[in-house]
Every structure is written in C-alpha cells, then in structure tokens.
Amino acid sequence: MLLPMSKPILGVVSIFAVISSWKDFLWPLLVLKDPNIQPLSVRLPAIAGTTDLGVFLAALAIATLIPIGLFLAFQNHFLNGAGFSGAVKG
C-alpha cells in the first residue's frame, strides 16, 4: 500500500541520482587520465579550445539528448506525483 504512493518520489530520487552521476566532473577528471575512457562531461571542456565550434556544439547537443530523452520517457510518473495522486485531501 505504501509503494504505489511513493512511486513518484522514487522516480524523482532516481532521476536526481542519474543526473548527479551524469554531471559528475571532478572525480573522473582526477582519476581517469586516459582520454579514451573519460566521460563526456570531462572530455567536452578539454576539447573546447581545439575543436571547431560547430562540431563542439553538436557534441553538446548529443550529450543533452540522453537526460532529455529519459525525462520525456518518464514524465508521466513525475507529473502524476506532483501532489495530485491522492495526497491532497478534499
């Protein structure tokens, strides 16, 4: 009985966890010295000065597609849990 009411909360917490690990910058920068295994969040600022602006902006757009796609796929779970799923009395 408790789990169906907490599905939106679990969804939001999981999205925050994914976004925080997606945006993690300092730890991979310090630990991963090989550029071939560094994540996009570390590589994109490193190649910003040596890459053509159009290619760099395309890489930034591709890097934002995954979080946007995840949100669009699960937006019903987030929006349904915004206080309208039985938590409001009356």
Side-chain angles (χ1 to χ4, degrees):
M1 180 157 149
L2 183 65
L3 192 58
M5 290 179 57
S6 63
K7 274 176 43 177
I9 295 169
L10 292 174
V12 169
V13 168
S14 65
I15 282 294
F16 285 157
V18 167
I19 288 176
S20 91
S21 67
W22 182 261
K23 290 182 176 183
D24 198 11
F25 180 78
L26 185 60
W27 182 249
L29 180 67
L30 294 174
V31 175
L32 303 173
K33 295 299 180 187
D34 184 15
N36 293 325
I37 59 174
Q38 288 178 339
L40 282 176
S41 62
V42 175
R43 285 305 300 157
L44 286 177
I47 65 169
T50 60
T51 307
D52 182 41
L53 181 63
V55 173
F56 182 67
L57 291 177
L60 286 173
I62 291 170
T64 59
L65 286 179
I66 292 174
I68 290 173
L70 283 173
F71 173 76
L72 291 176
F74 296 109
Q75 73 179 352
N76 288 338
H77 295 291
F78 304 135
L79 298 179
N80 287 340
F84 302 115
S85 64
V88 179
K89 188 175 180 180

